Amino acid sequence: RLYPPVGSPGTRQRYKAEFGQELRRYKELCAHMDGLNERLAQLAAQLDQVPEDSAQYQALAEEYNHLKDVKRSPEYQDKKRESKTLRNKLFHIKRMVSDYDKL
């Protein structure tokens, strides 16, 4: 509803400007979440290679469990929802501008 089909060059420019702003935020959110997931994958691989009774294993496991807790936190879940909403919004804006450009 907020982004009906584009009917004028001015509206197209406004949509493009908003797309740029929202894309920056979307990329920030994705970078944060991707970094967390990459670190979890690294820790999981390291945990597989270290003896379970070692101090190093314990330290790695603590960090791993902490990051898993972060992923379950309300703040992380909010960021995840925001990124999904932004993704849908970006696709919609892009489609509206593309449809206008085809005319």
Side-chain angles (χ1 to χ4, degrees):
R1 275 183 263 158
L2 293 176
Y3 300 94
V6 178
S8 70
T11 302
R12 182 188 185 283
Q13 280 305 111
R14 185 173 56 84
Y15 281 20
K16 291 291 280 185
E18 187 154 346
F19 182 89
Q21 292 171 351
E22 299 290 11
L23 183 60
R24 280 189 291 284
R25 175 65 179 154
Y26 177 72
K27 286 181 177 182
E28 289 172 10
L29 290 169
C30 287
H32 176 263
M33 292 186 294
D34 289 347
L36 187 67
N37 288 325
E38 286 173 20
R39 182 63 182 147
L40 278 169
Q42 290 171 350
L43 289 169
Q46 290 174 332
L47 285 168
D48 288 342
Q49 298 173 357
V50 177
E52 288 186 27
D53 57 350
S54 70
Q56 183 183 8
Y57 184 91
Q58 192 63 33
L60 292 169
E62 285 178 22
E63 184 181 356
Y64 181 86
N65 289 330
H66 170 71
L67 292 178
K68 287 298 257 184
D69 289 342
V70 168
K71 282 188 74 169
R72 287 188 284 270
S73 73
E75 294 84 14
Y76 183 88
Q77 294 301 315
D78 287 345
K79 286 181 180 180
K80 193 173 175 181
R81 272 189 295 280
E82 183 183 358
S83 74
K84 186 175 181 178
T85 300
L86 281 173
R87 182 175 184 266
N88 290 335
K89 182 178 181 179
L90 290 167
F91 275 125
H92 179 73
I93 291 172
K94 189 173 184 174
R95 187 173 59 241
M96 293 297 102
V97 170
S98 177
D99 288 350
Y100 176 77
D101 289 346
K102 287 178 185 173
L103 299 176

